Amino acid sequence: MSYFFYENVMDHYKNPRNKGKPDSYDTEYGDSNPTCGDNVKIYIKIEANRIKKIGFEGNGCALSMASASLMTEMVDGESLDNALKISEKDLMNELGIKELGPNRIKCVALPVKVLKMAIISYISKQNS
Amino acid sequence: MGYIEKNIKDIREDFPILSRPGFIYLDSAATSQKPFVVLEKMDWVYKNLNANVHRGIYKIAEDITEEYERSRKEISGFINASESEIVFTRNTTESINLAAYMLLQKLKRGDRIVTTLLEHHSNFLPWKKIAKIAGLNLELVKVTSEALIDEEDFEKKIENAKVVAFTHVSNVAGTIVDVKRLARKAKERGAFVLIDGAQATPHMKVDVSNLAVDFYVFSGHKMLGPTGIGVLYGKKDLLEELEPPFTGGEMVKEVHKDGQSWNDVPWKFEPGTPNYVGSIGLAEAVRYIKKIGIDQIETYEKKLSEYLLENVGNIKGLRYAGPKNNRAALLAFEIKGVHPHDVAAYLDMKGIAVRSGWHCAQPLQEELGFSNGTTRASLYFYNTFSEIDKLRTALEELVNIV
Ligand SMILES: Cc1ncc(COP(=O)(O)O)c(C=O)c1O
């Protein structure tokens, strides 16, 4: 079955959570998928090493946008350490998707990568 | 009913992959499927005649060389060129790069190269590259909102241009360019002219002797041939005059420590062991096309193209790229509110293979206002009207879901 019919995917795609740039944030990161042009940018406000607020902007297929939306929901309020542990597999489980081809997995991987880069760049700034 | 309509069932049976149950292949602009005769011919060559071409004295080395050069003859005949004007490459992209590096020796700082916004990246980036190397100016001719070449702009830009390169048929908009007329205009201004025939040679009669072009390029894999074999047609006088940009074995007559003499054309542009099995496979593909008849293919695809436009082009919320008539049998489109990849993923679920994204023509799609790219259905003579019906049904379902 195509991911198209997963309720969760369509729900997050049509009603994205945490969409948009928050008024204030401590770190941001954006990237795109060269093969398909999906792009995701993430903004995070951090307090005491916890995600206080997270927002995303982006443009792409239903799978990439739903993954980004769901991911922001999953890490909202989490410690940075926990947020760094999230994987494509977690998002797929949550979306109810068992398997994806090598091209489509990139759609799920993009928001995960962007989240991690945003956090890592925050941590390295703190440490320097 | 034409020949193809009458024999469509038999024709489809010539293509092993088309017997996959429930499989509708609408991605022939990316690459065509291959008939048994091509696969069997290549298999036979590897099993019975394999030896490196040229210079072998033993029997099969001579036989394979003869077969290789016969394939050049077959392919040259297909576009009405002479054998010595056919340089084998890997594909259209390599042909254009090779032509660009060949022309580099004829260009000097400040010279102008003109291409158009209609182009595949492969007829844009090689020119951009040599422009950078040699300090040349590269200009792009505009297109109209229907993706036709803006002829006023074309006239203006070809004035004093040293190289003019454009496509015969657009792989995104389906535009069929009047190459005969436009090439002549460019030639009259004294430019070297290159035509990208990747989407033309599979589908229509091309006669280079009737075109004012210096180079005409195409890929074997889009016209029933194997991957890894392409053609750079070049006018004989010009090929003879130009220095080979790449050197090595096979392309020289004599090599001494302090000098060498290049081989004759076309071999001086084919360094190293060529893809001889590929070119023999392509020649077999050409024979197959000739058996069906390129005119029959053109006529049948014209009907497919019109049917596609009438039945898919008018779906609610769908916007397509390109002209309303006189177009190739392909349709690149967006559906309001659905990302092109999602359209393709939905169609995949229905067994329909299409392509989505930029189709290697991002500047064109952006110009036409397709900011996320498009989904493209592209047909060949083995496709049917009923496959277009199935595409329409699937797209209508999708429009109702979203
Ligand atoms: C118009 C056009 N030009 C060039 C190419 C590049 O062909 P190839 O990838 O075989 O080099 C294509 C194929 O995608 C094409 O459609």
Side-chain angles (χ1 to χ4, degrees), chain B residues 50-104:
Chain B
N50 188 47
N52 206 331
V53 289
H54 299 138
R55 292 182 196 184
I57 302 300
Y58 52 96
K59 177 81 171 80
I60 67 166
E62 284 181 343
D63 289 350
I64 188 79
T65 303
E66 207 181 305
E67 186 81 30
Y68 177 52
E69 292 306 331
R70 234 195 340 258
S71 75
R72 198 189 303 273
K73 193 171 169 65
E74 183 75 53
I75 294 159
S76 69
F78 187 62
I79 59 166
N80 206 10
S82 83
E83 292 149 75
S84 53
E85 295 176 311
I86 300 294
V87 177
F88 285 126
T89 62
R90 277 188 300 148
N91 48 39
T92 301
T93 306
E94 188 174 79
S95 297
I96 299 175
N97 276 285
L98 178 56
Y101 279 92
M102 279 155 85
L103 288 174
L104 200 48

Side-chain angles (χ1 to χ4, degrees), chain A residues 12-128:
Chain A
H12 275 276
Y13 180 52
K14 287 185 172 170
N15 314 296
R17 331 288 203 260
N18 303 312
K19 184 99 191 247
K21 183 171 164 176
D23 293 338
S24 72
Y25 50 88
D26 300 296
T27 181
E28 65 182 300
Y29 194 84
D31 203 356
S32 63
N33 251 339
T35 41
C36 57
D38 291 344
N39 60 74
V40 172
K41 191 159 184 182
I42 288 213
Y43 304 90
I44 312 175
K45 183 154 183 62
I46 295 165
E47 265 178 37
N49 283 328
R50 274 191 179 288
I51 294 181
K52 176 82 174 140
K53 184 146 187 60
I54 181 163
F56 82 98
E57 288 174 335
N59 189 354
C61 67
L63 190 53
S64 69
M65 291 300 105
S67 302
S69 164
L70 172 75
M71 184 190 72
T72 60
E73 229 179 31
M74 286 167 72
V75 300
D76 199 7
E78 287 293 331
S79 70
L80 297 185
D81 281 351
N82 273 347
L84 279 174
K85 284 189 201 127
I86 198 163
S87 72
E88 288 91 300
K89 204 81 208 141
D90 298 332
L91 292 183
M92 283 168 63
N93 284 344
E94 202 66 24
L95 289 169
I97 300 175
K98 281 209 185 59
E99 222 180 71
L100 282 173
N103 265 326
R104 303 311 309 219
I105 197 120
K106 291 187 196 139
C107 305
V108 183
L110 179 65
V112 174
K113 174 182 169 201
V114 169
L115 172 80
K116 292 185 179 177
M117 291 305 289
I119 295 174
I120 289 165
S121 94
Y122 173 81
I123 294 173
S124 59
K125 256 188 274 160
Q126 296 296 302
N127 291 346
S128 67

Side-chain angles (χ1 to χ4, degrees), chain A residues 2-5 36 59-62, chain B residues 339 341-342 345 349 372 398 401:
Chain A
S2 159
Y3 67 85
F4 222 81
F5 281 125
C36 57
N59 189 354
C61 67
Chain B
H339 194 278
H341 292 302
D342 293 330
M349 193 181 67
N372 287 327
L398 173 65
I401 295 173

